[in-house]
Amino acid sequence: MLDVLRRGQRWIMPALLLGISVPFVAYFGFQSGGSDGTARTAGVAIRVGKREISVIDLQRSVDQQLQRYRESLGNEFDERSAQPFLVNQAASGMLRSALLAHLGEQMGLRVSDAEVLTRIRSMPGALDEKGQVNREALRTFAEREFGTERRFHEMLRDELLAAKTARLIEASVAVSDSETRDAIRTGREEVQILAVRLDGTQPRADLKIPEDAGTKLLARDSERVRKAVEERKSQLDTAEQVRARHILVSLVPGFDEAAKAAARARIDAIKVRLEAGEDFAAVAKEVSDDQGTKENGGDLGFFQRGAMVKGFEEAAFALEPGKLSGVVETDFGLHLIRVEEKKAASVMPYPEASAKVALELARIDAAAAAAKADADALSAAVKAGKSLEDAAREKGASILRPPAFRRNADGYIPELGQSQDIMTAAFALSKEKPVDATVHVLGENVYVLIQAIEKKTPTEDEIDAALPLERERVLGERRMAVENAWLEGERKRLEASNDLAVDVSELLPKSAAPTDTNS
C-alpha cells in the first residue's frame, strides 16, 4: 500500500482511503491547529435543498484525512499530489451524508435533543472530571471549527439524521438462504475451456495479396493512409544515430571520495593505454566493468537520442567517428567512449511513405478478412456437429487451453484477455452443450470461439460452510446497492429542480480545479 501513497505516485485507488476515514467530529479538547479563535466564513461547496456545506466544512474534513496520512506516512506522504483526490473523496462523503439527511427529513424522520446530547457525550474530551459535558470546551470548539455553536449542532444533527436514514434503508434489505446459496454457486463455479483465437490485426506472412493492393487502397481511401503515415512517422523517419563502444569503471552507490579517486586513477590509466594506440575493443574486453558489453569489446550498437543517460548521450553524439572521449561520469560510474559510426537523420518522402503504409494497411485488411473467414468456417463446422477442437485441428488453427477460472467483475479470462461476453458464454456451456458456435469479437479484428472442457460447482457441504460469511457479503452489497439507488434517485430529483450543486474548486490546486462542477 505504501508504494501507492509515496511521493510522486498517482492517486487512483479510492478504496485505500476508506480504511482510514475519520469521524465527523474529532476530539475537541483544544487540539485543532491553525485557528485564531475567530469565526470563519466561506462560500458554499455543497448545496442539497436547504442544506449548505461551506468550503470551511469541507476543508475541515480534508484536514482530518491529511492529518491521518501525515501520522501514517510521514515524509513519504505527498500532500500536493493527494489534495485533489482527498478533496473529491471528502466532498463525496459529505454529499452522501447531506442526501441521506435530506431523504430522512422527507420520510418524516427526526433527531431529538436527547440524541444530540448522547452523541456529544460520546465524543473524546467532551466530559469534565465530574462526567458532565464541558460546556466551555464545547463552545470554544464549536466557534473555532464551525463559526457558531448553532452551526455545530446543525451539522451534528444532520449526521445523526443521515445515520438514522441509512439504518432505515439497511433494515429494508434482506437476503434469503436460497439467494445466498445461489450466490455461492455462482461465485465459486469454475469452468475450463479450450479456445481458438484468430487474430486479424497483423499482416500474415503466408497471406498473398495482389501487387497493386496498396495502390488501390491509396486511391480508394487516401485519408486513412494519410492518418496512418502521421501515426507511424517515427517508424518511417530515421533519427540521428551513433554506434559507439565504451569502457566502464563502475562506482558502487554511496561511494566515498576515496573510492571515486581510485576509480578515476583507474580510468585515467586505461585512457593512457588507448591514447598510446592499443585497440579499444581489446582493452574493453580486458578491463570494462560493463558485463553486458565487455565480451563484445564494449560495443553498444546503434542508438538514438533518448536511449542512454543524458551525460553519456551528449558525449557520444558530440564525438566524431574514431575519436576518443574524455572521462564521462554517470550514475553507473566513469566511462570512456569511442564512436565507430554515425547515421544522419532522414525523412522518408511522403509518396514513398504513403505507398509503404498503404501496402501494410492492405495486408492488415487482408489478414482481418482471412481471420473472419476462418472464424466463420469454424462456426459452420461446429453447427454441422463437429467439436471445436476437431474443426480447429483440421483447419490447422492454434488451440488455447486457459486454466480454469471463476466469474469476475472485469471479465478477464487467462490467455484471452478481457471479455464479459466470452465469460458469460463460457459459463452458459454445459455437459449437454459443451460447444458454442458463436464467433465472439475480442477487440477489433480478433475473433474467438470456445468449447467447455470441464465445469465444477461447489458441493452442498462447501456451500453450507461458506453460508454465514457469504450471507454477510451479499447483504452488504445489496444494502449498498439499495442505498445508492435511493441516493441516485434523490440526486436526480434535486438536480431537476435546481436544488443540488457541488463546487469544490476553491480547495483544488489551480491546475486541477474545474471551471464549474455540478453533480
Side-chain angles (χ1 to χ4, degrees), residues 237-272:
D237 298 340
T238 303
E240 181 186 11
Q241 298 179 67
V242 297
R243 178 183 165 217
R245 296 179 186 270
H246 84 130
I247 294 171
L248 170 67
V249 173
S250 61
L251 283 168
V252 178
F255 61 85
D256 55 20
E257 288 303 315
K260 186 172 182 179
R264 181 68 195 220
R266 185 178 160 207
I267 200 82
D268 286 342
I270 295 169
K271 189 169 186 287
V272 169

Side-chain angles (χ1 to χ4, degrees), residues 60 104 144 244 289 300 391:
R60 182 176 55 255
R144 183 180 65 228
D289 289 338
L300 294 163

